[in-house]
Amino acid sequence: MEAEKLEFFNPKVPLDFQYNNRVGIGIERYLRGLGERKILGSKCPQCGKVAVPPRTVCGKCSATMGEFVEVSQEGTLENFTVGHVQLVKGQRLEKAESPYVVGLVRLDGVDSLLLARISGVDPSDLKVGMRVKAVWRDEVQGDYADLDHFQPA
Amino acid sequence: MAEKVAVVAFKLACAPDLHTTRERLVFNLTRGLFDELGIDRHAIDSFVMNSNDFLDGRTISTVFLDAPSGAYLKDETKVEMDGVHAVMYGWMRIMSGQYETALVVSLALTGSQVSPYVYTQYSLSPAYERQVGLLNELSGAALQAKAYLSRRGYSEELLDLVAAKDLELAAKNPRQIRRLENAGVERVRSSGPTYEPLRELHCYPPTDAGCVVLLASEKKAAELTDKPVWIKGFGSSIDTYFFGERDLTRSPSAADAAKRAFSMAGLTDPAREIDFAEISALYAHEEPLLAESMGLLPEGEAEKAYRAGDTRPGGSLPINPSGGSLGAHAPCVGGLMRLCEAVLQLRGEAGDLQLDGARTALVHGQDGICAQQNGVVILGV
Amino acid sequence: MEETRIVHGYWELSTFNFNIEARGINLMLEGFKEKKLKGIKCHQCGMVYLPGPFYCRKCHVNIDEPVEISDHGTVRTYTVQYADIRGEPMPEPRVSAMVQFDGCDSWVMGVVQCDPKDIHVGMRVKIKWKEQTVGNMQDMEAFVPE
């Protein structure tokens, strides 16, 4: 495309929309559980699969999951990556202050994997298959940040 | 019912920053295409607009793009996903027998107007993933890369081999935006880390892009071009949203989509019958992963194939002879970029990058984190 | 039904970098300096637009022929507003109308300074310009009955 002598202007549109999203019963119970230093999942009445965080529909068999179960706080590190960047506001890629680890943990007895931060270990010592356990924030409030990270068990 | 539908013509524009407005971009592409073919907007029976409100910064965004595209008082519809689905819509309209021509008009200014990562960021649940803040398309891709390499027993070098091959080819392709001198394994390895094992040059570059693709029935195609490229088959499929429930070591939805496309195209041995593939691999590992899942490479043999040069031009199954998405990619337009490259190959117009005897191609487009959604088109001459 | 809490999601348009067509608006604002309306005419079909786009909707061609449009016109439609967008009553009712200025095909929206009882489709109006026009949107104070 040729660069045309175009006249345009670049307005800043001062509109930031805020959406009010209800979290739904699954996440609500999960967060309340976190406030008690418990990890809750949902169990499928049909196939028995356990999902964390809880869902209301089973991913495998589409049955309605109404049963909440407390699950183990220990599990296996199935996968992880070391992050050197941060996505700020979902837009800008910036260098992270220091490398951090994002892992996928299979809690004992749970079929789905939980995405969580892994700390308390040098990234070079991490191994897929190692046992990890949940570490809570000092003061829990029934919020997403209560489950702070997982560390080697 | 129409029997055959062809891709008749296309026009593509991409740059890190196109320095244009969305209206001018679509006007220039459509007007330019019409002038080249000696037609006008009245030759188009249906406009299939293809852009994403969220990236456009406006809702019902094509209300502003219809008139500059020539769709004023014309049949018009919209697809907010990868462009291969817009091609599918256009193709279905013509197959119905009610339309002779369809024009796909696609754009995304994800180089200059807004970051492309916003697309997947806002696909995340506001009630969970967005609040926890660990999952984005890069961290997801990195986790998939690790799971895939580990499961297949491949070394991380495979990522460098894929990226180096793609970037070397992209350097020779005037339609790409990442055209590096000395594109090679060393160059790739020297780029900055994002989420291990992915480095910057293993990932697609943010791109401003626009594309129009004209589809026509067999009868109309004969009037418009002497090199029609036929759509032989199409398939699409979608995996689960829940990241913790996905098998990251493969792409079941790409496999499913490809299977449907092959079946429709009458292909029984795709690895042999497909001459080359243009796959939307936004991250280096996605190229072998998707190729394996779609049956183009035997599962477990990808690293061997790449080392042997099987996926290079001249190899047994060239993949992304254009350089692929690591050279340029934008949401919506991405799959169409791959389609346009495939069309050029099949027409014998790929210049320095021309393959010999290319007659049947697989074109692939994706949406969502770790290619949750996949669309496959089989093209042939 | 058990209550579940609310969390926030955002769409931050302020972070977008928009390029907006300005040629037609700039031409119009230039015209304001001379207390004139300047639009663009399509050389093919004769359609006159205000503010002028860079292409004609009907003909799908580039257009750039500036044309002067009268600042007198006819009310094609109107509405009388008694409350604002939040439903709060306004101190005075506000009459807004779409006016087709003589020589122009597109309609222009604006506030009409007149008694709400008098506004009607077909009413002739003209632009009340500011004393000193400088080339911005405030130059056009309002529409007033001819």
Side-chain angles (χ1 to χ4, degrees):
Chain A
M1 292 239 315
E2 291 132 12
E4 300 160 298
K5 271 237 167 64
L6 298 176
E7 293 150 301
F8 38 81
F9 64 109
N10 312 98
K12 272 296 171 237
V13 178
L15 288 175
D16 290 336
F17 296 103
Q18 179 181 284
Y19 295 82
N20 299 328
N21 303 105
R22 287 222 178 265
V23 301
I25 189 75
I27 300 295
E28 176 62 38
R29 291 289 187 90
Y30 177 72
L31 293 173
R32 288 192 204 165
L34 295 187
E36 295 171 29
R37 293 198 163 87
K38 290 181 180 164
I39 301 178
L40 296 184
S42 55
K43 185 170 170 139
C44 178
Q46 209 160 281
C47 66
K49 290 222 182 292
V50 177
V52 173
R55 290 178 61 178
T56 44
V57 179
C58 177
K60 277 282 168 224
C61 60
S62 302
T64 308
M65 295 166 111
E67 189 193 341
F68 294 95
V69 294
E70 191 187 340
V71 303
S72 164
Q73 305 207 358
E74 265 196 44
T76 324
L77 185 66
E78 297 252 333
N79 196 354
F80 65 91
T81 180
V82 182
H84 296 264
V85 293
Q86 243 146 217
L87 201 55
V88 179
K89 286 192 159 203
Q91 293 215 37
R92 286 190 322 277
L93 262 191
E94 282 176 6
K95 197 156 156 36
E97 265 182 40
S98 53
Y100 58 99
V101 181
V102 176
L104 280 169
V105 176
R106 190 184 296 282
L107 295 167
D108 296 335
V110 177
D111 295 282
S112 65
L113 299 175
L114 187 69
L115 205 61
R117 238 183 230 243
I118 315 293
S119 297
V121 57
D122 199 283
S124 53
D125 292 332
L126 283 169
K127 288 212 173 359
V128 167
M130 71 194 296
R131 299 285 299 167
V132 291
K133 68 171 193 249
V135 177
W136 299 92
R137 201 161 51 166
D138 287 335
E139 304 246 341
V140 292
Q141 295 166 352
D143 193 59
Y144 300 93
D146 286 348
L147 180 53
D148 193 70
H149 64 272
F150 280 75
Q151 73 183 27
Chain B
M1 273 270 297
E3 284 297 321
K4 289 162 88 176
V5 177
V7 175
V8 156
F10 70 84
K11 215 157 175 59
L12 177 65
C14 54
D17 186 340
L18 280 169
H19 295 292
T20 188
T21 64
R22 293 158 60 245
E23 292 79 15
R24 254 182 230 262
L25 175 59
V26 296
F27 178 85
N28 286 338
L29 290 171
T30 50
R31 185 76 254 167
L33 187 86
F34 298 156
D35 287 344
E36 274 171 24
L37 295 173
I39 59 175
D40 67 15
R41 68 190 194 88
H42 298 294
I44 310 300
D45 294 335
S46 179
F47 286 80
V48 185
M49 309 301 288
N50 175 227
S51 71
N52 182 280
D53 280 4
F54 202 85
L55 300 175
D56 291 341
R58 297 168 131 151
T59 55
I60 330 173
S61 63
T62 50
V63 295
F64 300 96
L65 300 174
D66 289 326
S69 305
Y72 175 65
L73 290 182
K74 304 283 282 175
D75 181 294
E76 177 260 22
T77 185
K78 186 181 184 188
V79 174
E80 288 214 20
M81 300 181 65
D82 186 271
V84 291
H85 297 90
V87 165
M88 179 193 74
Y89 265 51
W91 170 65
M92 292 201 309
R93 275 161 133 72
I94 299 172
M95 291 286 279
S96 75
Q98 304 297 321
Y99 302 80
E100 296 272 11
T101 54
L103 185 72
V104 172
V105 181
S106 178
L107 78 157
L109 296 180
T110 46
S112 63
Q113 181 167 283
V114 66
S115 159
Y117 306 125
V118 148
Y119 189 55
T120 44
Q121 177 68 12
Y122 287 84
S123 73
L124 297 175
S125 165
Y128 186 70
E129 276 84 16
R130 257 191 261 171
Q131 301 295 333
V132 172
L134 293 173
L135 184 63
N136 56 60
E137 68 174 272
L138 293 145
S139 65
L143 287 166
Q144 180 166 53
K146 279 212 133 174
Y148 169 66
L149 295 175
S150 155
R151 167 71 165 265
R152 297 273 178 263
Y154 301 148
S155 74
E156 281 182 18
E157 261 182 46
L158 175 58
L159 303 175
D160 301 329
L161 294 172
V162 174
K165 163 186 84 70
D166 286 344
L167 293 174
E168 278 164 19
L169 292 165
K172 295 196 245 174
N173 186 342
R175 292 168 295 283
Q176 297 280 27
I177 68 168
R178 192 190 253 157
R179 304 178 63 191
L180 306 172
E181 282 177 25
N182 314 315
V185 168
E186 286 310 306
R187 186 72 198 268
V188 171
R189 281 208 193 112
S190 68
S191 61
T194 57
Y195 287 85
E196 291 180 20
L198 296 175
R199 295 184 170 280
E200 195 196 318
L201 290 180
H202 293 136
C203 311
Y204 70 94
T207 309
D208 267 4
C211 183
V212 294
V213 178
L214 178 58
L215 306 173
S217 64
E218 189 172 5
K219 188 161 75 94
K220 214 60 188 170
E223 291 171 31
L224 294 167
T225 181
D226 42 4
K227 288 188 195 171
V229 173
W230 305 104
I231 296 179
K232 305 277 196 167
F234 182 89
S236 86
S237 186
I238 186 163
D239 203 334
T240 181
Y241 160 80
F242 294 89
F243 199 70
E245 291 176 23
R246 288 180 64 178
D247 177 4
L248 294 178
T249 65
R250 46 190 300 272
S251 179
S253 67
D256 187 33
K259 205 162 115 208
R260 292 166 204 266
F262 295 148
S263 162
M264 204 182 287
L267 300 179
T268 49
D269 188 1
R272 292 248 221 84
E273 293 165 286
I274 299 283
D275 293 319
F276 70 97
E278 282 282 336
I279 296 177
S280 295
L282 278 49
Y283 299 95
H285 71 283
E286 286 187 343
E287 197 180 282
L289 188 154
L290 290 164
E292 281 182 358
S293 290
M294 294 193 284
L296 299 176
L297 291 175
E299 254 180 34
E301 310 273 297
E303 187 165 5
K304 201 167 87 182
Y306 274 84
R307 287 192 189 281
D310 293 351
T311 57
R312 282 185 173 274
S316 52
L317 206 157
I319 298 180
N320 287 336
S322 65
S325 310
L326 296 187
H329 173 82
C332 297
V333 195
L336 296 179
M337 289 183 193
R338 307 275 63 74
L339 185 133
C340 294
E341 295 289 346
V343 167
L344 284 174
Q345 284 286 353
L346 293 170
R347 281 203 219 145
E349 292 170 10
D352 285 339
L353 299 164
Q354 184 64 52
L355 302 169
D356 286 326
R359 301 192 58 76
T360 308
L362 179 147
V363 170
H364 160 271
Q366 59 151 293
D367 280 297
I369 292 202
C370 292
Q372 184 191 342
Q373 219 280 359
N374 290 278
V376 173
V377 185
I378 308 297
L379 298 176
V381 289
Chain C
M1 264 308 265
E2 195 179 315
E3 264 282 302
T4 77
R5 72 194 66 189
I6 287 176
V7 294
H8 297 301
Y10 298 94
W11 189 21
E12 289 156 316
L13 283 180
S14 64
T15 61
F16 282 57
N17 192 28
F18 293 108
N19 280 350
I20 305 292
E21 288 291 328
R23 193 209 285 162
I25 295 183
N26 286 344
L27 177 69
M28 192 173 76
L29 296 178
E30 276 300 305
F32 283 5
K33 286 186 191 164
E34 302 163 49
K35 297 190 179 164
K36 289 189 173 151
L37 288 181
K38 288 193 179 160
I40 303 263
K41 176 175 170 164
C42 174
H43 52 275
Q44 240 171 251
C45 69
M47 274 268 294
V48 175
Y49 301 89
L50 177 74
F54 67 89
Y55 67 97
C56 174
R57 335 275 188 210
K58 289 203 242 164
C59 308
H60 198 233
V61 289
N62 275 125
I63 58 175
D64 57 11
E65 189 184 314
V67 64
E68 236 179 77
I69 298 163
S70 162
D71 59 359
H72 288 240
T74 317
V75 169
R76 293 294 179 211
T77 181
Y78 67 90
T79 185
V80 184
Q81 196 184 352
Y82 293 93
D84 70 18
I85 201 162
R86 283 173 195 75
E88 298 298 320
M90 294 173 58
E92 269 171 33
R94 185 165 72 184
V95 179
S96 39
M98 298 218 61
V99 174
Q100 185 167 15
F101 290 101
D102 301 338
C104 184
D105 288 293
S106 53
W107 300 356
V108 178
M109 192 165 359
V111 173
V112 183
Q113 281 173 358
C114 73
D115 193 317
K117 287 201 305 319
D118 295 335
I119 187 77
H120 60 276
V121 171
M123 181 162 115
R124 295 285 302 170
V125 293
K126 68 179 184 205
I127 294 180
K128 179 174 160 205
W129 296 102
K130 242 196 176 124
E131 269 276 344
Q132 280 282 73
T133 54
V134 298
N136 65 31
M137 290 308 292
Q138 285 71 47
D139 288 344
M140 213 167 56
E141 267 192 35
F143 304 153
V144 292
E146 231 172 19

